[in-house]
Amino acid sequence: MNFHQKPVSYVESLTLKVLDLPEMSRFYTEVLGFETIEEKENETVLGVGGEEILTLQSAPEFKAKAGRFAGLYHFAVLLPDRKELGKILLHLHEQRIPIGSSDHQVSEALYLSDPEGNGIEIYRDREPGEWEWRGDQVHMTVDPLDVQEVAQASNGEKWSGMPAGTVLGHIHLHVSDLQAAHDFYTGAIGFGLVANLGNQALFVSDGNYHHHIGLNIWNGTGIPALPDQTAGLGHYVIRVADEQAQQAMRDRLQAYGAEVRMEGATLETADPSGNRIRILTA
C-alpha cells in the first residue's frame, strides 16, 4: 500500500515561521536539494516534482524561541529507497553538516537541524512486510544505523538533489499533555494508535503506516502553545481522500469540542497543545 495516497489520510506539508528567509531558503535548496516552487517577498514554497512539502514564511514581528513550547520536534522527509538515503548521507558528510542516525526497524533515518534549529529527519522505509507487528502495535527500535552499509547503497552515484518520489513522510510534535493528544488524534482526527513509548511518546497513523504523526512530552508537560510571533511551526496539512472524509473529520472534531472553521475548502483546527492543522481533500 502507498501510505501517501488516497484513501489513506496523511500529513502532506508544513509551514515554518522563520527569521532569515534568504538563509533558510538557501539551506533547503542548496544543502537539502528542494526545488523552489514559488517565491514571494515574505514566503518561499519548496517541494519536489512540483509538489509542495515545505513553506517558509517570514515577518518583521517574528522572534526567536525563548523557552519551551509545544510545536515541531521534527518533520520527516521520506526518500524512495536506500540508494537515495546513501547518496544524501555522503552529500551531508561532504557538506560537513552534523547528523545523527538510527535504525528504527521499520525505517533507516538520518537526523539534522536547519540553521534556525528546526529538527529534520531524512529516512527510507523498509518494506511493510518486514515490519514486525505485535497485535495492533508496530515494533520500532532506536538501534545504531549501519552507516557504512547505507553509504555503500549509493553505488557510487552522486547526490543531485531530492529525488522524484520524495514526500513528507511524517511529522513529530511536542505536546503539553500526552493523554489529551492521544484522545484528540485518535478520537477527533481518527488516526489509529500504532506505537506507545511508555508515558513519553505516542505514534498514530492511518492505514497501518508505522506513523504519520509522532507526539511526545520531551519538552515537558504543561508547556504552552508556540506564540504566534515566535519562529517555528506555523501549521501542518493533513490530506484526506474526499469531501466526505473531511466532513466526517469535521463532525468528530466538533463532537470532541475542538475549534473548527472552514476557509474555502480548507478545514482549520488546532490540537489541544495549540499545534495548528489544515485539512484538505485530495
Side-chain angles (χ1 to χ4, degrees):
M1 174 185 283
N2 186 325
F3 296 100
H4 295 80
Q5 287 184 350
K6 59 183 183 181
V8 174
S9 299
Y10 59 94
V11 179
E12 181 180 66
S13 61
L14 76 154
T15 294
L16 292 177
K17 298 175 286 183
V18 305
L19 303 173
D20 188 337
L21 184 59
E23 170 59 18
M24 290 284 275
S25 299
R26 184 203 67 79
F27 174 82
Y28 279 102
T29 54
E30 295 181 15
V31 178
L32 292 190
F34 286 99
E35 65 188 49
T36 302
I37 295 173
E38 189 177 359
E39 205 164 10
K40 301 177 188 172
E41 183 181 355
N42 295 315
E43 182 177 279
T44 302
V45 180
L46 303 162
V48 177
E51 297 295 322
E52 178 183 338
I53 291 177
L54 175 65
T55 297
L56 306 174
Q57 290 180 341
S58 68
E61 65 269 20
F62 288 170
K63 298 177 177 63
K65 198 180 300 178
R68 297 185 176 193
F69 299 100
L72 185 70
Y73 176 56
H74 66 239
F75 67 92
V77 179
L78 174 59
L79 301 179
D81 53 45
R82 200 184 201 201
K83 179 195 282 188
E84 294 296 340
L85 188 66
K87 287 161 66 173
I88 200 166
L89 168 64
L90 293 170
H91 162 71
L92 292 171
H93 180 69
E94 289 168 2
Q95 294 288 310
R96 300 181 184 277
I97 302 295
I99 56 174
S101 62
S102 191
D103 186 331
H104 295 303
Q105 199 276 323
V106 296
S107 62
E108 294 180 309
L110 308 176
Y111 293 94
L112 64 151
S113 295
D114 71 18
E116 296 188 5
N118 297 293
I120 305 165
E121 176 182 344
I122 301 172
Y123 74 111
R124 72 99 184 178
D125 276 337
R126 288 191 169 90
E127 289 298 318
E130 298 177 65
W131 303 352
E132 181 187 345
W133 288 85
R134 298 173 179 178
D136 58 0
Q137 303 269 300
V138 68
H139 179 58
M140 292 193 283
T141 59
V142 188
D143 292 333
L145 181 68
D146 191 330
V147 175
Q148 189 171 355
E149 220 179 66
V150 171
Q152 288 172 346
S154 68
N155 291 334
E157 290 185 22
K158 291 293 288 181
W159 178 86
S160 59
M162 287 289 177
T166 298
V167 297
L168 183 63
H170 63 267
I171 193 166
H172 197 147
L173 303 170
H174 289 297
V175 297
S176 58
D177 184 308
L178 204 58
Q179 185 61 52
H182 168 272
D183 295 347
F184 176 85
Y185 281 99
T186 60
I189 296 296
F191 282 5
L193 176 67
V194 289
N196 188 343
L197 191 61
N199 298 314
Q200 295 291 310
L202 300 171
F203 301 90
V204 299
S205 75
D206 191 24
N208 284 337
Y209 188 51
H210 58 68
H211 65 297
H212 287 117
I213 302 174
L215 307 154
N216 74 65
I217 51 169
W218 298 329
N219 249 356
T221 56
I223 53 174
L226 185 73
D228 289 345
Q229 297 182 355
T230 299
L233 180 64
H235 69 268
Y236 72 93
V237 172
I238 295 176
R239 181 74 64 171
V240 299
D242 50 33
E243 289 181 14
Q244 186 176 353
Q246 186 191 54
Q247 183 60 51
M249 195 175 287
R250 183 180 185 180
D251 292 343
R252 290 194 303 269
L253 286 161
Q254 288 175 325
Y256 174 85
E259 190 176 322
V260 296
R261 72 185 187 105
M262 291 298 296
E263 187 72 37
T266 303
L267 174 60
E268 297 186 359
T269 190
D271 73 13
S273 301
N275 295 305
R276 294 181 177 175
I277 309 164
R278 295 183 182 177
I279 298 144
L280 306 178
T281 59

